[in-house]
């Protein structure tokens, strides 16, 4: 009997020994284990996403592509597929599956390594969120202990949700929703059973079972999972047979933007990095910009078509490369790595006929360029000259030429194009609040990410003159004031040569009214205005339009637009004119939402009075209040220019379109448009800035390395067509919108030749707008006192 008791205790000790050892190990490791409760508030690394104001995706930034979803959003078919593939006993165990662990232990004993791991889904959650991936025994013990804790504190649904949102599934996809978009371009809820099983096979080996890189291995893995689902009773035979027969349709779907606005996206990215540092890439922010998707699309189209039109009227510079000796089966290799740029596709000429050319595209498609779609291609000689007109396709292209083409509406038909060497920038603001409505900084962001809207400092030429004319109107001048459009010569003793400013045509018109001088863009009048006002006084005044004094050179030449400014700065200045004299500033980010889609910040611009009510409603909606408080009041922008001055100037700038250098814009058939062209010396820059009460838009055209655009190229021929095309689309269906006439202005009939009050019956007499204090004397008063009194003359009449 005593022997039996001894044997019993010996067996008990032998049996409990491992348990005691494991308990001791658990007690040793437990203090170092992380707190499982943190899983309830875990933040998954989610990329930064940038949208237009109407919720179109523009770009995504971050190494991990992730779209977290809730358990309720996961299809039952996927749940069954994943359990069949990874852990069919998930709903029954308590975090650890002893059978799987025994299998892993036998592998460790027989091979010295843990090969299959024996991990449950809960153990994988423990590893993915808390532990490294090293296959060592201590990590496995930690994994087991954490799994047991997780099962005690979280529900099966919570554990499953954590798992499917964390796992890496190849091609930068983290989580099953991102994988569904990457491989199938759809949400996981829209995928059929076969595709669900395909994604469920990825966690085991994302590279080996990748359906894009290894479609056959992925199919074998998928079919095995479907077989397991049938065996487990998750699906019936009909569903199994249908899924097995489904071909592999997966292909890579990149983070395809819904809206092409890469320059906007980059501006938003830089601002987010400035605000949040590198966590901007991982914390799942959703950034909504002020950009309107329809306007942005029109801006892209107008800029590209305008640049192509300019480029093609200067001739064809030849193919990008020539490969005349390639065999037919080798042709595509010459263009395989060439990207499409600005909508222009790479192609290689495969055959030249009498009336058409055959081309091969990068994707292997064949196309045709008819003669009428390439006959424009006269040889480029210089910015001012071209070679003879081609008479047949062979005069333009040869077999093996690498070219650019544009698709036409007819299937398989293309137009010969070339990448423009000139560049352009377009920015459109709301003059009421400064919000950026559309922006494109060049022909192609892929070709050059240099944002010419914000980074290119170029001389605006005559597009700068309205700011000087505003200064004149606030220093006693009127639109009817006369000044002398006559030659001037300057030399301060420090110049090697005299400075002789001249007009664009080289002519002089003599005494001319200020209104006419602006719409005819007379340079000598601008110089005389700055002389009379004083350089320092004029530049100080011009600062009111939002310019930095350091950007305005202290020289009379500034009157002709020599300051180097960006298109965004020019547009901001014109916004002050368009809104009645209020200093608004450009801004891009409408609001920022966190990963839970809660608004954490939003734009609070100072706005013109017309926009106060709209912005008040917007702010109240974001903060969830019904009435404004002291902290939610909208700030009204400072009025920096007399509204009467703005009204006069606006009237003069309308004449630039109706009868001046921008007369091409009359095709828009609107009376609320105003603006100014600009061309710099030797036609190196072409500008047009124009507006109504809804949009102020600035367009620049030139070369990145300044060079002449051509002697017949001006702001009216390069920038204005782009502006007109964009504004025609932007304003379609909108009523006319101009600032109302403020108090303190009067209209007087004047003699167009003298600028003085017109007598009855004066030929060509016209109405002019005056401030009350600047109103010229009536003709009856002048009859009495004559014109000899300087008090009766405006300052420019003294020249």
């Amino acid at each position: 009997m005593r022997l039996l008791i001894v044997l019993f205790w010996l067996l008990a000790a032998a049996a409990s020994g491992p348990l005691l050892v494991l308990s001791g190990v658990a007690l040793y490791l437990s203090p170092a284990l992380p707190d499982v409760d943190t899983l309830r508030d875990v933040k998954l690394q989610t990329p930064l996403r940038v949208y237009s104001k109407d919720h179109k995706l523009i770009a995504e930034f971050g190494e991990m592509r992730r779209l977290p979803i809730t358990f309720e959003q996961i299809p039952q078919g996927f749940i069954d597929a994943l359990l069949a593939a990874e852990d069919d006993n998930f709903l029954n165990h308590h975090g650890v599956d002893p059978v799987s662990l025994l299998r892993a232990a036998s592998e460790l004993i027989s091979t010295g390594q843990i090969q299959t791991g024996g991990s449950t889904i809960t153990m994988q959650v423990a590893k993915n969120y808390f532990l490294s991936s090293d296959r060592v025994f201590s990590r496995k013990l930690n994994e087991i202990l954490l799994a047991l804790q997780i099962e005690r504190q979280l529900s099966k649904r919570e554990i499953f949700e954590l798992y499917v949102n964390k796992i890496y599934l190849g091609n930068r996809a983290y989580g099953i929703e991102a994988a569904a978009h990457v491989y199938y371009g759809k949400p996981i809820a829209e995928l059929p059973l076969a595709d669900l099983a395909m994604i469920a096979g990825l966690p085991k080996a994302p590279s080996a079972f990748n359906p894009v890189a290894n479609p056959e291995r992925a199919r074998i893995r998928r079919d095995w999972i479907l077989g397991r689902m049938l065996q487990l009773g998750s699906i019936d035979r009909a569903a199994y047979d249908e899924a097995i027969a489904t071909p592999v349709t997966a292909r890579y779907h990149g983070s395809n933007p819904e809206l092409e606005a890469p320059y906007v996206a980059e501006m938003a990215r830089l601002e987010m990095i400035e605000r949040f540092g590198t966590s901007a890439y991982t914390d799942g922010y959703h950034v909504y910009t002020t950009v309107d998707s329809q306007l942005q699309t029109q801006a892209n189209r107008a800029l590209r078509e305008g640049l192509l039109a300019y480029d093609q009227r200067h001739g064809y510079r030849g193919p990008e490369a020539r490969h005349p000796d390639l065999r037919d089966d080798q042709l595509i290799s010459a263009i395989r790595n060439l990207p499409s740029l600005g909508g222009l596709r790479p192609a290689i000429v495969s055959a030249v006929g009498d009336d058409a050319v055959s081309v091969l595209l990068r994707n292997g498609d064949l196309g045709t360029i008819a003669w009428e779609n390439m006959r424009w291609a006269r040889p480029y000689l210089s910015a001012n000259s071209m070679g003879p007109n081609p008479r047949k396709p062979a005069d333009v292209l040869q077999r093996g030429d690498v070219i650019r083409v544009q698709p036409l509406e007819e299937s398989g038909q293309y137009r010969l194009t070339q990448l423009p060497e000139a560049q352009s920038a377009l920015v459109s603001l709301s003059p009421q609040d400064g919000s950026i409505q559309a922006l494109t900084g060049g022909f192609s962001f892929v070709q050059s990410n240099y944002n010419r809207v914000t980074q290119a400092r170029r001389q605006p030429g005559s597009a700068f003159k309205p700011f000087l004319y505003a200064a004149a109107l606030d220093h006693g001048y009127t639109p009817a004031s006369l000044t002398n459009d006559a030659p001037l010569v300057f030399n301060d003793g420090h110049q090697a040569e005299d400075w002789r400013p001249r007009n664009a045509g080289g002519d002089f018109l003599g005494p001319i009214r200020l209104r006419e001088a602006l719409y005819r863009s007379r340079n000598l009048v601008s110089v005389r205005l700055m002389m009379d006002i004083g350089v320092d006084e004029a530049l100080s005044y011009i600062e009111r339009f939002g310019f930095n004094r350091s950007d305005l050179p202290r020289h009379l030449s500034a009157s002709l637009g020599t300051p180097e400014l960006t298109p965004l700065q020019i547009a901001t200045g014109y916004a002050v004119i368009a809104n009645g004299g209020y200093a608004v500033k450009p801004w891009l980010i409408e609001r920022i939402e966190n990963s839970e889609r809660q608004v954490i910040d939003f734009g609070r611009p100072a706005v013109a009075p017309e926009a106060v009510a709209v912005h008040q409603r917007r702010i109240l909606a974001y903060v969830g209040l019904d009435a404004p408080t002291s902290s939610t009041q909208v700030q009204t922008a400072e009025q920096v220019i007399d509204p009467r001055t703005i009204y006069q100037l606006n009237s003069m700038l309308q004449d630039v379109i109706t009868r001046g250098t921008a007369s091409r814009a009359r095709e828009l058939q609107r009376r609320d448009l105003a603006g100014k062209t600009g061309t710099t010396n030797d036609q190196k820059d072409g500008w047009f800035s124009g507006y109504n009460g809804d949009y102020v838009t600035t367009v620049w055209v030139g070369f990145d390395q300044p060079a002449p655009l051509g002697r017949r190229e001006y702001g009216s021929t390069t920038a204005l067509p782009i502006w007109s095309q964009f504004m025609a689309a932007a304003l379609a269906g909108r009523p006319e919108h101009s600032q109302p006439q403020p108090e303190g202005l009067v209209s007087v009939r004047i003699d167009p030749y003298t600028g003085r009050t017109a007598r009855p019956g004066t030929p060509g007499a016209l109405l002019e707008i005056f401030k009350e204090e600047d109103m010229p004397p009536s003709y009856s008063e002048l009859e009495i006192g004559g014109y000899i009194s300087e008090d009766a003359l405006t300052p420019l009449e003294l020249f």
Side-chain angles (χ1 to χ4, degrees), residues 628-693:
T629 64
S630 58
S631 62
T632 61
Q633 289 284 356
V634 177
Q635 182 182 355
T636 302
E638 179 186 2
Q639 182 150 35
V640 292
I641 308 294
D642 185 337
R644 300 177 303 166
T645 298
I646 291 294
Y647 191 85
Q648 289 177 306
L649 181 62
N650 178 69
S651 172
M652 296 162 71
L653 290 173
Q654 286 177 330
D655 277 358
V656 174
I657 289 177
T658 57
R659 64 183 70 183
T661 56
S663 58
R664 176 171 179 163
R666 287 184 296 183
E667 64 190 19
L668 273 65
Q669 298 182 353
R670 296 182 65 105
R671 295 171 299 174
D672 60 341
L673 298 178
K676 186 69 185 75
T677 55
T679 308
T680 58
N681 288 343
D682 300 321
Q683 289 79 40
K684 291 180 180 178
D685 301 273
W687 293 79
F688 187 75
S689 281
Y691 60 88
N692 78 337

Side-chain angles (χ1 to χ4, degrees), residues 462-463 465 469 503-504 515-524 526 661 676-678:
S462 295
K465 289 177 181 176
Y469 274 64
N503 293 314
R515 175 182 292 273
E516 186 176 1
L518 182 58
Y519 75 69
R520 291 185 182 276
S521 200
R522 308 304 291 179
N523 288 343
L524 273 300
S526 295
T661 56
K676 186 69 185 75
T677 55

